[in-house]
């Protein structure tokens, strides 16, 4: 180790402990308001595309802080901008929506809300994915950033995205002029709470972070008839059954071993009665992949197999394959990871930052990456450390996101999220630090 390096390390160490202390005092100051907002939003969850009250409350809080807030962007979305001199534009995104899940956590602030879903059915509603925590964290971060404008310069842009759970909100905001009506972000940041890491810690993945998701609806056309006279009919159920078995060979025989690919037939519907051969059979498929080339390969293989099996079974016409929902995979910019990992380590302590594997779930944040915003999507630990240690010992995992029992350890999660967000924003919005990091 040479002398210059020692000096640099000492400076880095003193800067980091200063940063940690000053941020924790800043977080202490904003925490009561942040926690209050968390409890309010948690007890008043709203379904995707219906986040009216949630958006109004968040918009009002950000406006009161001095942000220039625009509402109803891409449905119920909000955009809050704060310009503070010259410099880059950095976007920080939270989702707004909750899920049709009944909360069974037994917490004193558990949601008791019921509503009608888009199909008119009565459903319970719960923030079972932790988006309430992301919103509350943003209030804390936005407050610290507005009160300490001497620590950064550039343009800050907080967005509240609706309808993440239906993977439609990000594209709706883009279609409504997110990148033309507002400053175009040079960088994008998002984080998501989960139960895999201890509360308040951060997991970082470089490169691909989440899977691409493709939803397919397939209809196979046969010829109905009497169950006792199969020779007069073309049975779409048998064709569907063969198709399902043949689809299993895509991941086992066609995709290169080691490449991530999932093909799941999630439902099959056909027929009404045991002695009737139905006219058609329908199935729903979800496809998950990391690599765009593998994604194309899998979708092409599904097309080929579905059509080929229908032809082999003598189907009356070519099956229909509807690609009704899709999203790309979220890609974490490796240069941004390299730049921000030490920043997050300095803010939270090195032992509280993990390098983690990509997730098999999907996220429509990918639409922002595809629109040209270099991004970093972080994993926020939400698990009570003792319960997590117990879960690891017993091999019984803690409730995952979307479970009725999902209950992040709120205070350390919020504090970790705010500390991390503030450190990342200050780094990205500080020309000097960026110069240093690039050397
Ligand atoms: Zn979710
Ligand atoms: Zn989520």
């Amino acid at each position: 180790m040479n002398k210059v390096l020692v000096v640099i390390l000492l400076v880095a160490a003193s800067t980091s402990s200063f940063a940690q202390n000053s941020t924790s005092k800043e977080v202490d100051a904003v925490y009561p308001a942040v926690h209050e907002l968390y409890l309010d939003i948690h007890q008043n969850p709203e379904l995707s595309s219906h986040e009216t009250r949630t958006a109004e409350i968040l918009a009002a809080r950000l406006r009161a802080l001095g942000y220039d807030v625009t509402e109803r962007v891409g449905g119920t979305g909000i955009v809050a901008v704060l310009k503070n001199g010259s410099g880059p534009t950095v976007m920080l995104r939270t989702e707004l929506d909750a899920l049709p899940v009944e909360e069974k956590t037994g917490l004193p602030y558990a949601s008791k809300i019921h509503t009608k879903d888009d199909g008119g059915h009565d459903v319970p509603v719960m923030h079972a994915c932790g988006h309430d925590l992301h919103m509350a964290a943003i209030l804390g971060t936005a407050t610290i950033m507005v009160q300490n404008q001497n620590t950064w310069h550039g343009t800050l842009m907080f967005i509240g995205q609706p309808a993440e759970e239906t993977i439609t909100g990000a594209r709706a905001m883009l279609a409504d002029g997110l990148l033309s009506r507002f400053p175009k972000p040079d960088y994008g940041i998002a984080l998501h709470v989960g139960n895999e890491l201890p509360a308040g810690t951060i997991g970082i993945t470089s490169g691909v972070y989440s899977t691409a998701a493709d939803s397919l609806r397939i209809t196979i056309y046969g010829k109905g008839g009497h169950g006792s006279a199969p020779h007069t009919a073309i049975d779409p159920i048998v064709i569907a059954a063969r198709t399902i078995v043949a689809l299993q060979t895509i991941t086992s025989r066609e995709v290169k071993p080691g490449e991530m690919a999932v093909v799941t037939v999630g439902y099959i519907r056909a027929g009404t009665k045991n002695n009737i051969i139905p006219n058609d059979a329908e199935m729903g498929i979800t496809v998950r992949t990391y690599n765009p080339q593998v994604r194309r390969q899998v979708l092409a293989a599904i097309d080929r197999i579905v059509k080929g099996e229908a032809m082999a079974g003598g189907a009356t016409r070519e099956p229909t394959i509807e690609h009704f929902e899709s999203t790309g995979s979220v890609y974490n910019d490796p240069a941004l990871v390299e730049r921000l990992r030490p920043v997050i380590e300095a803010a939270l302590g090195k032992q509280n930052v993990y390098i983690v594997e990509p997730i098999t779930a999907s996220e429509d944040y990918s639409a922002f990456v595809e629109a040209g915003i270099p991004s970093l999507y972080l994993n926020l630990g939400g698990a009570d450390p003792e319960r997590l240690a117990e879960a690891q010992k017993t091999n019984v995992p803690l409730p995952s996101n979307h479970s009725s029992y999902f209950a992040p350890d709120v205070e350390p999660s919020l504090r970790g999220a705010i500390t991390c967000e503030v450190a990342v924003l200050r780094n990205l919005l500080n020309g000097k630090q960026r110069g240093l990091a690039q050397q």
Side-chain angles (χ1 to χ4, degrees):
M1 192 185 279
N2 65 38
K3 259 189 199 162
V4 180
L5 193 54
V6 172
V7 173
I8 290 171
L9 285 177
L10 284 174
V11 170
S14 63
T15 319
S16 87
S17 70
F18 168 75
Q20 224 169 309
N21 293 337
S22 68
T23 315
S24 73
K25 275 193 200 121
E26 289 168 343
V27 177
D28 287 345
V30 299
Y31 190 75
V34 166
H35 191 234
E36 188 195 331
L37 181 71
Y38 175 78
L39 294 179
D40 181 351
I41 296 180
H42 187 85
Q43 291 173 91
N44 294 285
E46 292 174 303
L47 292 178
S48 305
S49 303
H50 299 279
E51 313 90 336
T52 326
R53 178 187 184 273
T54 310
E56 266 170 26
I57 285 180
L58 192 59
R61 302 297 279 268
L62 293 170
R63 195 173 281 129
L65 286 172
Y67 287 78
D68 182 6
V69 181
T70 308
E71 293 177 69
R72 289 179 286 283
V73 180
T76 55
I78 63 169
V79 178
V81 176
L82 182 64
K83 290 188 174 157
N84 180 27
S86 64
T89 298
V90 183
M91 178 180 97
L92 178 59
R93 174 270 217 169
T94 176
E95 319 85 325
L96 302 173
D97 53 343
L99 288 157
V101 171
E102 186 179 0
E103 179 155 2
K104 294 181 180 168
T105 58
L107 291 165
Y109 53 87
S111 164
K112 295 182 181 70
I113 298 288
H114 276 246
T115 190
K116 293 255 187 279
D117 69 8
D118 289 340
H121 308 106
D122 181 80
V123 288
V125 194
M126 171 189 179
H127 266 295
C129 204
H131 299 174
D132 47 354
L133 201 138
H134 308 163
M135 285 181 256
I138 272 191
L139 175 70
T141 301
T143 309
I144 293 173
M145 294 303 281
V146 84
Q147 288 172 352
N148 296 277
Q149 291 182 52
N150 56 335
T151 62
W152 60 279
H153 52 87
T155 301
L156 243 182
M157 186 167 147
F158 293 102
I159 68 165
Q161 183 209 303
E164 187 283 320
E165 296 291 356
T166 50
I167 54 173
T168 51
R171 262 179 287 194
M173 289 190 86
L174 288 165
D176 201 7
L178 180 70
L179 303 185
S180 53
R181 290 164 58 195
F182 306 96
K184 179 161 185 215
D186 296 290
Y187 306 105
I189 304 293
L191 51 72
H192 206 300
V193 68
N195 255 341
E196 294 79 31
L197 296 175
T201 66
I202 290 286
I204 306 180
T205 312
S206 188
V208 172
Y209 167 72
S210 67
T211 54
D214 292 280
S215 303
L216 306 174
R217 188 184 301 118
I218 289 167
T219 311
I220 293 160
Y221 301 97
K223 187 178 154 201
H226 200 289
S228 70
H231 59 292
T232 67
I234 293 166
D235 191 342
I237 291 183
V238 174
I239 299 174
R242 280 203 298 245
T243 304
I244 292 168
V245 173
L247 288 172
Q248 309 309 310
T249 62
I250 298 174
T251 55
S252 67
R253 304 288 83 187
E254 295 194 37
V255 172
K256 188 179 169 194
E259 285 284 358
M260 198 281 183
V262 174
V263 178
T264 294
V265 178
Y267 75 84
I268 167 157
R269 274 190 215 118
T272 52
K273 195 169 181 298
N274 64 313
N275 63 353
I276 301 171
I277 295 169
N279 286 317
D280 45 48
E282 184 186 304
M283 58 177 118
I285 298 181
T286 189
V287 176
R288 303 298 170 109
T289 49
Y290 289 139
N291 180 332
Q293 219 176 321
V294 175
R295 183 184 187 187
R296 282 193 295 274
Q297 183 194 7
V298 171
L299 292 174
I302 291 174
D303 191 80
R304 192 192 72 237
I305 288 169
V306 167
K307 287 178 182 164
E309 288 295 342
M311 189 192 278
T316 50
R317 52 184 267 223
E318 194 168 83
T320 50
I321 303 175
E322 296 161 81
H323 198 170
F324 68 93
E325 228 175 42
S326 73
T327 189
S329 65
V330 174
Y331 186 79
N332 278 340
D333 185 73
L336 212 46
V337 170
E338 207 166 303
R339 173 174 168 180
L340 293 176
R341 181 180 161 188
V343 172
I344 299 168
E345 286 176 346
L348 293 175
K350 213 169 177 169
Q351 72 284 5
N352 294 322
V353 179
Y354 301 86
I355 300 302
V356 291
E357 287 185 352
I359 58 172
T360 60
S362 307
E363 228 304 339
D364 74 347
Y365 186 91
S366 57
F368 300 125
V369 180
E370 283 158 16
I373 307 173
S375 291
L376 178 56
Y377 196 113
L378 298 161
N379 235 307
L380 170 69
D384 175 306
E386 277 172 28
R387 290 184 61 206
L388 183 63
E390 182 66 21
Q392 281 160 349
K393 220 166 50 192
T394 56
N395 237 342
V396 181
L398 290 174
S400 63
N401 297 58
H402 292 204
S403 152
S404 287
Y405 299 94
F406 182 71
D409 190 359
V410 176
E411 182 161 354
S413 305
L414 279 171
R415 285 177 177 274
I418 298 166
T419 306
C420 172
E421 287 174 357
V422 168
V424 162
L425 293 178
R426 278 184 175 146
N427 178 275
L428 293 174
L429 292 163
N430 185 326
K432 264 199 217 149
Q433 280 189 25
R434 186 175 55 192
L436 268 181
Q438 281 171 346
Q439 273 169 13

